[in-house]
Amino acid sequence: MSLNAALNSAQLSLTASQKRISISARNVAGAGDTDYSRKLTPLVTRDSGVFASGPIRSSDTRLYERYLESTSVAARENVRLTGLTRLSETVGDTADETSLVGRLGNLTNKLTEYLNAPADDNLARAAVVAAGDMARALNDAAAVVDEVRAGAVADVKTSVDRINTLLQNFESANTLIVQGTVLGADITDDLDRRDAIVAQLSEEIGISVATRENNDMVLFTDGGVTLFETSARKVSATTDAGQPVRVFIDGVQVAGDAPQMESKNGALVGAVALHNKDAAQYGEQLDKLALGLIQAFREIDPTDPANTAPGLFVDRSNATALPANPADLAKNISVNTAVDPAANPAGTPSKLRDGIAYDYNTAENAPSYSGQLSRLLDQVGEKNTDLDNKTLLDYASSTVSWVESSRQSSDAAVKVNDAVLTLVTTSLSNARGVDLNEETALQLEIERLFTASAQLISVVDNLFKTLFDAVR
């Protein structure tokens, strides 16, 4: 090897070492950033010497895709669990008198006690108080349902706004990457920023990605709708009161009732499911329970059984007629003011025994009359077609069971998905993250190579000096 070739080789080695140590320093600086991927500068040997290529990123495409999926699934289930946990707080422990089942059981017990001593006005008042507790429990539960559904709507709006903002940020990052690729610039940090944006998008909605020429990326939902291709697509939602929430991407419905191309994961999907299905179904069950109460305590005309009227429980929006359907009954059910002195000074609890709309105690208002109370208890124990052919107590129990079962199922799903996400996140970090020990070892290696190259240059320099001295 000539002295010129040796000097050129040493200089190229120094240049490669300089680039490698610079990239290693970037890695050390980015070690604490979860969005940073380790940069590599592979050595390439050519006829003239050694060059440091790159930088290129450490990556694992399949792990990254699994990470996006796990993030979306975990986000969806966490949103649902939060709402279902709030709903489950309304049912309480069935062994507790403050639960829906407990209050219904207490009302039945108080009526039974009053039946056994119909002349006792204190027992009449106790039955009315128990009825009021039952009505307020349904009112409170309905208020929680409205609260959860309103919160879900707010979450949908927030999620839609965040997706649109992230898509605009993604467009800017993607443009820089495509331009940098064409120009041959270092785009590794830009790729990290773009991946971080995609990860944030996956929190809101299920994402799949495809990379084209010049590192141009296309985004799709997990249902196949294009989110980004050259430009961002518009995401919107309809949140009209009393209607199911619907989400659209570029005019295609992806979430809500009967979506055209359904998205399955992400916080946005979880919020829509919580509003349209979970909370709505529980609200419907509460309304049916309220309807069952009003029907069970209705009064029947003793002279014409075809005629009926509200009894102990009424729909406060129309207290003079039996409701035709259960809509909004849980929030509107109340105790008939005719028997409730707390709501009406003229309210008389004993009318529960004698009749509110009709007069049953016709035998000189006998204090020992119990016929109507007995009929009411019989009606409470009857199966009702409006309650899926169940009794009031059985339907209340099934409602409680449904809420708790849904919450437990969601809780189990959250635990499983969080464990999977933790595992995938750790694996992805190991695959593309920065190991400071590894970087330290690399820097020591580069230092030794740098020293060797510097010594070689020094030797060549001395040889050149000796040669020149000999020539002179």
Side-chain angles (χ1 to χ4, degrees):
M1 176 184 288
S2 67
L3 291 179
N4 280 334
L7 180 61
N8 184 56
S9 178
Q11 288 175 332
L12 288 174
S13 178
L14 284 176
T15 301
S17 295
Q18 181 183 22
K19 183 174 182 179
R20 293 177 72 198
I21 199 71
S22 174
I23 296 300
S24 181
R26 280 171 60 183
N27 288 338
V28 172
D33 186 353
T34 55
D35 296 325
Y36 183 87
S37 61
R38 188 184 183 215
K39 309 304 185 292
L40 305 175
T41 51
L43 292 176
V44 179
T45 303
R46 298 175 185 167
D47 293 339
S48 56
V50 175
F51 296 85
S53 64
I56 60 175
R57 297 193 310 157
S58 296
S59 62
D60 189 315
T61 302
R62 295 191 67 179
L63 263 180
Y64 180 65
E65 292 174 349
R66 188 72 180 91
Y67 168 73
L68 295 179
E69 180 185 0
S70 299
T71 299
S72 295
V73 173
R76 179 199 68 204
E77 288 304 323
N78 275 295
V79 169
R80 288 191 64 235
L81 178 60
T82 299
L84 286 168
T85 299
R86 183 72 181 97
L87 293 178
S88 71
E89 293 172 359
T90 66
V91 301
D93 185 348
T94 54
D96 187 351
E97 286 190 359
T98 61
S99 68
L100 282 174
V101 174
R103 293 196 183 282
L104 182 55
N106 184 53
L107 172 58
T108 304
N109 291 338
K110 295 302 180 184
L111 279 174
T112 302
E113 291 174 4
Y114 187 31
L115 169 66
N116 294 330
D120 192 333
D121 289 339
N122 290 327
L123 293 179
R125 282 190 289 271
V128 171
V129 169
D133 291 341
M134 183 68 208
R136 282 186 293 275
L138 285 170
N139 297 159
D140 294 342
V144 171
V145 170
D146 287 345
E147 171 196 318
V148 169
R149 298 192 78 193
V153 168
D155 288 344
V156 167
K157 293 178 179 178
T158 300
S159 184
V160 166
D161 290 342
R162 188 180 185 217
I163 291 173
N164 284 320
T165 299
L166 288 171
L167 285 175
Q168 293 302 318
N169 296 341
F170 178 89
E171 183 171 352
S172 299
N174 193 64
T175 300
L176 286 175
I177 288 169
V178 172
Q179 292 173 348
T181 301
V182 172
L183 296 174
D186 178 5
I187 60 168
T188 53
D189 287 339
D190 294 322
L191 290 170
D192 287 347
R193 283 191 288 271
R194 187 175 70 178
D195 280 356
I197 294 171
V198 175
Q200 294 176 65
L201 277 168
S202 71
E203 295 173 0
E204 305 300 330
I205 193 167
I207 293 287
S208 64
V209 302
T211 304
R212 305 189 296 192
E213 186 179 6
N214 296 323
N215 286 307
D216 183 24
M217 184 175 280
V218 181
L219 300 180
F220 304 94
T221 68
D222 54 2
V225 178
T226 302
L227 265 175
F228 179 92
E229 184 178 14
T230 307
S231 62
R233 302 300 193 259
K234 180 66 176 177
V235 182
S236 61
T238 59
T239 56
D240 299 331
Q243 297 296 320
V245 170
R246 299 179 178 90
V247 178
F248 300 86
I249 298 177
D250 205 20
V252 179
Q253 186 178 340
V254 298
D257 58 322
Q260 295 160 294
M261 300 179 72
E262 183 178 14
S263 290
K264 299 176 178 62
N265 299 316
L268 176 59
V269 173
V272 172
L274 181 61
H275 178 277
N276 290 0
K277 297 179 181 178
D278 300 321
Q281 186 170 344
Y282 181 47
E284 289 172 359
Q285 292 181 22
L286 291 174
D287 286 340
K288 289 172 69 174
L289 181 58
L291 176 63
L293 272 171
I294 294 174
Q295 290 176 337
F297 286 91
R298 72 190 184 282
E299 293 191 351
I300 301 173
D301 188 344
T303 62
D304 185 359
N307 297 327
T308 58
L312 177 59
F313 292 101
V314 298
D315 175 2
R316 67 165 61 93
S317 64
N318 184 6
T320 61
L322 289 170
N325 61 72
D328 294 330
L329 274 185
K331 69 176 65 174
N332 288 320
I333 190 172
S334 66
V335 173
N336 198 321
T337 57
V339 298
D340 187 4
N344 174 21
T348 307
S350 61
K351 285 187 176 181
L352 185 58
R353 175 197 65 195
D354 300 332
I356 301 171
Y358 306 106
D359 185 11
Y360 296 102
N361 189 2
T362 57
E364 299 179 355
N365 294 323
S368 60
Y369 174 74
S370 61
Q372 173 60 4
L373 294 174
S374 180
R375 279 191 293 270
L376 289 177
L377 284 169
D378 288 342
Q379 291 174 187
V380 169
E382 291 175 353
K383 293 182 178 180
N384 189 330
T385 55
D386 289 326
L387 302 181
D388 302 334
N389 205 34
K390 297 177 181 177
T391 65
L392 266 175
L393 189 58
D394 287 344
Y395 188 80
S397 297
S398 67
T399 298
V400 170
S401 176
W402 178 87
V403 174
E404 188 57 22
S405 175
S406 298
R407 187 201 63 79
Q408 290 178 355
S409 176
S410 182
D411 182 60
V414 165
K415 290 177 180 177
V416 170
N417 290 317
D418 283 350
V420 171
L421 179 58
T422 299
L423 178 62
V424 172
T425 301
T426 301
S427 300
L428 184 62
S429 177
N430 292 337
R432 72 177 193 179
V434 176
D435 185 334
L436 291 178
N437 292 329
E438 191 174 349
E439 290 301 323
T440 300
L442 176 62
Q443 289 179 5
L444 289 173
E445 177 190 342
I446 295 172
E447 182 181 355
R448 287 193 294 270
L449 291 173
F450 192 92
T451 301
S453 298
Q455 289 175 344
L456 177 59
I457 290 174
S458 178
V459 169
V460 172
D461 183 54
N462 289 333
L463 289 173
F464 268 118
K465 285 181 181 179
T466 301
L467 178 62
F468 290 151
D469 289 344
V471 171
R472 285 195 294 267

